[in-house]
């Protein structure tokens, strides 16, 4: 792996941190990481590096901070061009950015509404919203196997990093993504076999454990 | 002006449409536009071109739709590279994208909370939130005169397109941006003298008229 001065301020279960890790693995770039204690007290470095949002991930490149996961993945792609992650045509890049933005705005939040639901009606509404989002995401998937066509790229990274939270949504929502979205599920399996993804995604059981703790904090368990 | 097959689905008072117009003017690219009736009935072309959000702006290039204003401005910059709008370094590009994202998430919404406020406490909270946002935005402004340094670029376009709504926020919030944010106000004046901006921004009095109508619809007038 190439040696670069890269430090990731990290929280391993965060889908957004996972995106950055997959991108760096795809590029074959070694990096250091520092785990943040999001509940106990964030590091001075995090607060200084991302004063606006005070959130992980932050990637420090030669000491300079880059924030927001989709922006970081684009930075990685532009700074270390080989192999390319974003499509080569400006139109296809705009399409990839559109869906990344859609996923950013909708997927994690609608999934979170499932495990935060307080009653049966709320849960039903949350599930329906999540299914609507997944329907759109599945619709954007190419028939060639990946979002951008026949090879794993930018939008696959953005989306796959959210999927190890799906088993938690399934458990607390009592459904199976695979039953409703077979094409998307086949894509998840395909991507999960990739080394960059397998190395970067936390164990779904750890996510379930974390979500169970969060439900206790919300008075739901 | 260069001739390209470009059609903008437009709503002239929309800050997001204004961004696209400024970018096209900066590039010296001629385009057609079609005004949408956002309240009466959106065109079939809009619904087909942006089925997910069903919102303007949409830019059709050779008939292919690009959606979401910051994505469209990046598309314009990548498709018509001269003169460049985004910075040349990947780090500076990530910084520009960070602030564009911040402005997208915070500025229009916090400004809208001012004219939607139902009572004195709500108005005070809305104003404080808006001032916090402006403080951050002003902090990102370079001492050289523009967001990216000494020349007008991507982030100036993203931000300046929101500012002809400020007089409406000032009117219904009873304050002056200039009193609190002199550096930002000087930047607004500087940008407003630019032909691309002057040609693209709707008259603030029209915005005030529109917002007054919206307040009537919300039962506030």
């Amino acid at each position: 792996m190439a040696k670069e001065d890269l430090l990731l301020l990290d929280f391993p279960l965060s889908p957004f941190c996972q995106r950055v890790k997959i991108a760096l693995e795809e590029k074959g770039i070694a990096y250091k990481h520092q785990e943040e204690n999001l509940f106990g007290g964030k590091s001075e470095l995090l607060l200084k590096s991302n004063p606006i949002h005070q959130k992980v991930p932050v990637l420090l490149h030669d000491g300079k901070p880059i924030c927001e996961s989709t922006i970081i993945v684009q930075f990685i792609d532009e700074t270390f061009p080989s192999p390319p992650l974003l499509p080569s045509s400006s139109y296809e890049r705009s399409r990839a950015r559109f869906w990344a933005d859609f996923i950013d705005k909708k997927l994690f939040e609608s999934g979170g509404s499932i495990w935060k639901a307080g009653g049966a009606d709320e849960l039903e509404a949350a599930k329906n919203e999540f299914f609507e989002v997944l329907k759109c995401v599945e619709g954007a998937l190419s028939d060639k196997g990946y979002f951008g066509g026949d090879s794993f790229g930018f939008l696959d990274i953005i989306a796959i990093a959210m999927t190890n939270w799906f088993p938690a949504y399934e458990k607390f929502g009592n459904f199976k993504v695979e039953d409703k979205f077979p094409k998307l599920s086949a894509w998840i399996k395909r991507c999960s076999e990739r080394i960059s993804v397998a190395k970067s995604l936390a164990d779904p059981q750890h996510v379930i454990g974390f979500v169970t703790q969060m439900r206790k904090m919300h008075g739901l368990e």
Side-chain angles (χ1 to χ4, degrees), chain A:
Chain A
M1 281 195 162
K3 280 196 181 176
E4 289 280 340
D5 180 7
L6 285 167
L7 173 63
L8 175 64
L9 305 185
D10 188 20
F11 185 72
L13 296 182
S14 156
F16 308 102
C17 294
Q18 294 178 157
R19 289 173 171 176
V20 177
K21 291 175 190 177
I22 299 169
L24 290 168
E25 291 291 339
E26 286 288 327
K27 298 289 183 176
I29 308 283
Y31 63 96
K32 293 178 183 153
H33 71 119
Q34 172 179 309
E35 194 168 330
E36 291 288 331
N37 181 348
L38 299 187
F39 300 96
K42 297 171 183 177
S43 74
E44 280 302 310
L45 185 58
L46 174 58
L47 299 179
K48 194 180 78 174
S49 302
N50 190 1
I52 298 292
H53 301 305
Q54 306 187 357
K55 282 184 184 168
V56 293
V58 174
L59 184 68
L60 290 129
H61 183 227
D62 297 333
K64 289 190 291 185
I66 303 110
C67 305
E68 298 290 85
S69 64
T70 54
I71 294 172
I72 298 173
V73 173
Q74 288 181 78
F75 170 82
I76 291 169
D77 198 37
E78 293 177 352
T79 307
F80 311 108
S82 177
L85 297 174
L86 277 143
S88 59
S89 96
S90 59
Y91 177 74
E92 290 300 331
R93 275 200 298 281
S94 75
R95 193 183 161 277
R97 288 180 180 131
F98 175 87
W99 284 108
D101 177 68
F102 177 82
I103 289 168
D104 277 355
K105 284 176 179 155
K106 303 278 187 178
L107 193 54
F108 195 61
E109 194 178 303
S110 66
S113 298
I114 293 172
W115 66 258
K116 286 174 194 154
D121 289 351
E122 209 179 313
L123 177 59
E124 202 57 25
K127 282 163 66 172
N128 286 337
E129 167 72 13
F130 182 68
F131 295 153
E132 279 303 306
V133 172
L134 282 198
K135 192 176 153 194
C136 293
V137 172
E138 188 175 68
L141 194 54
S142 154
D143 286 331
K144 294 180 183 167
Y146 295 97
F147 277 99
D150 56 11
S151 64
F152 182 86
F154 172 73
L155 195 49
D156 299 292
I157 293 176
I158 298 301
I160 196 67
M162 322 297 279
T163 59
N164 60 335
W165 282 62
F166 287 7
Y169 309 150
E170 290 174 327
K171 178 181 163 73
F172 296 109
N174 195 28
F175 65 90
K176 282 281 171 198
V177 169
E178 195 169 7
D179 295 342
K180 290 183 169 280
F181 303 100
K183 188 177 164 188
L184 193 71
S185 296
W187 165 83
I188 293 173
K189 282 207 181 91
R190 199 173 304 128
C191 292
S192 299
E193 287 163 6
R194 211 172 166 86
I195 293 171
S196 65
V197 176
K199 279 180 77 168
S200 304
L201 295 199
D203 183 339
Q205 291 303 319
H206 294 174
V207 177
I208 290 176
F210 179 74
V211 168
T212 305
Q213 285 300 113
M214 296 288 280
R215 282 172 56 88
K216 281 183 186 156
M217 282 169 63
H218 280 74
L220 295 166
E221 294 266 328

